[in-house]
Amino acid sequence: MAFRLFSFVLTLLVLGCLGAWWLGWAGALAGVLLGSAAAVGVDSWRGRRFIAWVREPDAARPPVLRGLWGESAYRTARALRAEQQKARDSAQRLGDFLAAIQASPDGVILLDEEGRIEWCNDIAGLHFGIHPQRDLLQHVSNLVREPVFTAYYASKNYEREVRMFGRGGTASQPTKLSVQLHPYGNGHKLMLSRDVTALALADAMRRDFVANVSHEIRTPLTVLAGFVETMQSLPLTEPERAKYLEMMAAQSARMQTLVKDLLLLSRLEGSPPPSIHEAVDLPTLMSQCETEARALSELLHPDEERPQALRFAALPAFNLSGAASELRSAISNLINNAVRYTPAGGSIDVRWQRLPDGGARIEIVDSGPGILPEHLPRLGERFYRVDRSRSRESGGTGLGLAITKHVVQRHGGELQVSSQSGRGSTFALVFPPQRVRPAPAADEEVSAPAAAA
Ligand code: ADP
């Protein structure tokens, strides 16, 4: 600044001296005035260029000026560049932040103090049917119109989440959402939504399961308690006592079978899939199943005139790998069901088949009552019975097919059922090629099925 003043005064002095030398005192005055006017003019011109640039500043191209204005332009451009860099960094951070929220598996909506949507991720869009761009600045209660949400929003008490139906899903299984508002900043709100359909379904299944188990246990328990009371309160003859005790034993056996099946199911659910390196002793397994089935058939149909025809085809020329005890359970459940549901004089055929893809299939074909098509998709659900009374009469727990389905799925296969009402049923277990291996040589070791599966 001092230098500028000094050079300005020096220039005026030089001009004044030159004027005085040339024209005397008047020349000196004219030189000083002329120099001042020129200095003011140049300064104004520089100032105007600076202001013109400041109006639409381009930090990369400041005006090239000398002196104070040049310095100002240079410093302004530098400050501007620093600010622009800061703004770029902030925008980048915001972009990263929004991308992270976008990647969240939960729905996120940012609401302003009026409840208008400032931003929402795609998941929230799916949950509530909101368009992430088009619906910006719309009031959330205009777009999310579930009464339960409207009441929750109006209550201003957001300590707990609210459950409501969301968009998507099917008519039989609509999407269920858990939604919660979290106030932040100056009246803003963060709205989080989570798809809890699977959770709600698991919850309902757990409740159903507990109710079913309680019901299954309560029935024999009630009968048992009734017999105990009768025996305690009435004087009974010896034959009557024996009869009651026999009926009590049948009820307690039923409860035992139920508990055994429940334990087996929970063991199946909690253990890893059976190894593919463990070969099964198929001849032993099948002979155990056959002995059991024939004994059951004789027990259920002692009438020798119309016995059931049980036909077991020859053993296959291959073997299976997996858990022998589980496979025995699965196969004997199907054969025993065929025996239990097929009337006297009917037939049951058990045969093996090698599939073109290298897999294997065992099918159990009976000439029993068959099953109506509407029941087929639900077979394999726990406690699902087509014929309740028949199932209970023959000691069924309603868990046999659930166990079978679980076992075959653990072996990578599937349970296939085809049936026509009145014309018998075919239950088949299909195993993938990885579970099929050549039949063992006579001296090769295979795992025998456990006795009590
Ligand atoms: P349950 O112990 O009642 O037999 P399952 O899970 O083994 O339970 O079978 C479920 C239901 O499927 C049975 O209650 C029965 O109604 C039906 N079912 C199973 N196998 C047959 C079959 N071979 N023929 C006709 N109905 C069958």
Side-chain angles (χ1 to χ4, degrees), residues 370-379 381 384-386 419-421:
I371 301 165
L372 285 169
E374 62 263 32
H375 295 293
L376 294 180
R378 296 201 59 190
L379 289 181
E381 279 180 27
Y384 186 78
R385 293 171 170 112
V386 180
S419 182
Q420 265 185 313
S421 187

Side-chain angles (χ1 to χ4, degrees), residues 346-360:
S347 66
I348 291 127
D349 286 276
V350 179
R351 37 185 188 243
W352 287 91
Q353 211 182 326
R354 189 77 193 259
L355 299 174
D357 68 350

Side-chain angles (χ1 to χ4, degrees), residues 166-372:
R167 294 290 176 90
T170 56
S172 61
Q173 201 175 303
T175 306
K176 274 219 122 179
L177 299 177
S178 155
V179 181
Q180 189 163 12
L181 285 163
H182 302 270
Y184 73 97
N186 200 8
H188 287 61
K189 291 175 203 76
L190 172 73
M191 181 165 155
L192 297 180
S193 58
R194 200 155 38 93
D195 188 335
V196 291
T197 316
L199 220 65
L201 205 70
D203 231 36
M205 276 169 68
R206 187 185 50 77
R207 275 198 306 274
D208 277 3
F209 184 68
V210 171
N212 275 324
V213 171
S214 315
H215 176 76
E216 294 293 331
I217 300 259
R218 200 176 53 201
T219 315
L221 255 184
T222 314
V223 179
L224 211 56
F227 287 143
V228 170
E229 210 179 299
T230 311
M231 289 181 80
Q232 279 171 336
S233 55
L234 291 179
L236 297 172
T237 61
E238 204 43 47
E240 280 173 335
R241 267 178 75 83
K243 192 177 131 212
Y244 277 122
L245 282 173
E246 196 183 314
M247 290 197 280
M248 286 165 76
Q251 294 305 322
S252 67
R254 188 172 152 193
M255 284 195 285
Q256 266 173 345
T257 316
L258 179 67
V259 171
K260 192 189 86 192
D261 279 359
L262 283 171
L263 287 175
L264 176 57
L265 255 182
S266 87
R267 214 171 48 232
L268 289 176
E269 275 174 351
S271 54
S275 156
I276 55 165
H277 302 297
E278 203 179 330
V280 173
D281 182 356
L282 218 49
T284 310
L285 185 153
M286 289 312 292
S287 99
Q288 284 177 346
C289 289
E290 185 172 345
T291 312
E292 199 179 292
R294 290 194 190 283
L296 183 66
S297 177
E298 270 168 38
L299 188 78
L300 294 175
H301 306 286
D303 175 4
E304 279 184 9
E305 280 182 14
R306 298 185 65 223
Q308 284 178 330
L310 267 67
R311 293 185 286 261
F312 283 77
L315 279 169
F318 55 80
N319 208 17
L320 291 179
S321 65
S325 61
E326 290 182 19
L327 290 174
R328 200 204 118 175
S329 242
I331 295 172
S332 74
N333 271 341
L334 295 185
I335 302 177
N336 292 351
N337 272 358
V339 170
R340 284 164 52 219
Y341 293 106
T342 302
S347 66
I348 291 127
D349 286 276
V350 179
R351 37 185 188 243
W352 287 91
Q353 211 182 326
R354 189 77 193 259
L355 299 174
D357 68 350
R361 173 183 158 102
I362 176 173
E363 64 177 18
I364 294 101
V365 185
D366 67 52
S367 64
I371 301 165
L372 285 169

Side-chain angles (χ1 to χ4, degrees), residues 402-418:
I403 291 173
T404 302
K405 193 170 164 184
H406 218 95
V407 167
V408 71
Q409 282 175 350
R410 279 164 56 75
H411 285 77
E414 62 169 332
L415 167 69
Q416 292 177 347
V417 189
S418 59

